[in-house]
Amino acid sequence: MTNWNPSQYLRFGNERLQPVIDLIGRIPLESPGVIYDLGCGTGSGTVILKERWPDAHVTGVDSSESMLERTRSLEADVSWQHSDLNTWEPSAPASLIFSNAVFHWLDDHQTLFPRLMTMLAPGGILAVQMPQNWRAPTHRLIAGTVRGGPWRERLEPHIREFPVLEGQEYYDLLSGQASSIDLWETTYYHILKGQDPVVEWTKGSILRPLLDLLEEPEAGTFLEMYRSQIALAYPQQPNGKTVLQFRRLFFMATKS
């Protein structure tokens, strides 16, 4: 199991939170009664859901104890639940199932998303955001580094190269259960500060499970190989900032 590091993830908290704000802002529900935030992480987005709909019963669900540990410091009328999202089921039909940047970690979307639709009350909404940056250097160079080193046999089975389908495929999956579907993509231009910020970004997300499989000095060697390539793909600008383009897929499906 991956040992998620909340502090590393939150180094870019504002940038990671913006898709949450953008998705919540487009959800057309007036007064949902039951809301679940799947893959809630440190709970920042869950609190925003509660602020948007203060009368709703809001539950944040995550499979990482270390992430949920951070929610204990939050002053919000929210329930927190530790659960495997592959097998999770709500205690009552949901008005809103919300998820930001988690389902790319789960397999078999052809089964997963239709199953989630069955957990909604009629008129309920499944609102999802997932990274769609898999062909960008951030992710291509991880795969290249895995295949270019002595760790290939150990790490290659754990690469998640293309875990997210294209938008049309999600429409095809859900249209039979939905009265309406809204899909869109956004490319964010994150202006990052510091030394090697793109490497630090991926260390908090897609790179973490691979690094957990390596011990020193191999982990350091792996990072140096990756860092040298990232520096060419995302050069530091004259003002000391680095621009990271990041594409994300959003969809909302309303249950018939």
Side-chain angles (χ1 to χ4, degrees):
M1 180 177 292
T2 298
N3 183 23
W4 292 107
N5 185 331
S7 297
Q8 182 70 34
Y9 186 84
L10 291 173
R11 288 188 63 169
F12 304 98
N14 290 338
E15 290 84 359
R16 296 192 192 278
L17 195 59
Q18 190 60 53
V20 175
I21 296 169
D22 294 345
L23 181 54
I24 291 175
R26 296 209 22 189
I27 297 172
L29 293 173
E30 291 294 331
S31 54
V34 178
I35 297 174
Y36 292 95
D37 180 10
L38 302 188
C40 65
T42 58
S44 301
T46 320
V47 171
I48 296 174
L49 287 165
K50 184 63 177 179
E51 291 173 346
R52 169 79 188 274
W53 293 288
D55 295 329
H57 180 75
V58 179
T59 301
V61 184
D62 205 276
S63 61
S64 170
E65 290 278 15
S66 59
M67 286 292 197
L68 286 172
E69 180 70 26
R70 287 297 186 95
T71 67
R72 297 177 183 175
S73 64
L74 300 174
E75 296 182 3
D77 184 18
V78 171
S79 301
W80 306 103
Q81 181 182 355
H82 179 253
S83 181
D84 182 345
L85 297 184
N86 287 290
T87 57
W88 172 85
E89 293 186 4
S91 58
S95 309
L96 171 63
I97 295 177
F98 179 92
S99 182
N100 178 72
V102 69
F103 285 134
H104 58 292
W105 294 110
L106 276 61
D107 297 324
D108 193 13
H109 287 191
Q110 291 85 351
T111 300
L112 170 66
F113 287 108
R115 185 174 71 87
L116 289 172
M117 289 293 289
T118 68
M119 299 175 184
L120 293 167
I125 291 178
L126 173 64
V128 173
Q129 183 276 126
M130 293 178 287
Q132 193 65 300
N133 220 38
W134 312 102
R135 291 179 172 81
T138 44
H139 295 68
R140 286 192 295 102
L141 293 176
I142 289 175
T145 304
V146 165
R147 294 187 174 111
W151 40 69
R152 176 172 182 168
E153 185 175 339
R154 282 171 288 153
L155 298 188
E156 192 168 22
H158 301 280
I159 301 175
R160 301 190 66 80
E161 284 191 275
F162 302 105
V164 177
L165 308 175
E166 294 298 323
Q168 176 71 49
E169 294 175 274
Y170 290 107
Y171 180 86
D172 295 341
L173 278 176
L174 301 177
S175 57
Q177 298 169 279
S179 60
S180 66
I181 299 177
D182 189 10
L183 301 107
W184 70 97
E185 290 183 354
T186 299
T187 298
Y188 293 86
Y189 285 76
H190 298 306
I191 313 302
L192 306 182
K193 303 176 182 178
Q195 190 70 25
D196 301 317
V198 177
V199 176
E200 295 302 315
W201 177 288
T202 56
K203 279 172 62 179
S205 55
I206 197 68
L207 198 56
R208 185 75 263 152
L210 298 175
L211 293 176
D212 284 349
L213 296 172
L214 298 174
E215 297 182 358
E216 294 297 346
E218 270 194 322
T221 303
F222 182 99
L223 277 175
E224 284 306 313
M225 287 178 62
Y226 177 61
R227 182 179 286 114
S228 65
Q229 299 172 75
I230 284 291
L232 297 176
Y234 299 95
Q236 190 176 70
Q237 302 299 305
N239 63 1
K241 308 290 181 58
T242 302
V243 180
L244 171 62
Q245 297 183 38
F246 205 103
R247 178 185 171 207
R248 296 183 182 272
L249 171 69
F250 299 77
F251 67 79
M252 295 187 297
T254 303
K255 185 173 181 179
S256 301

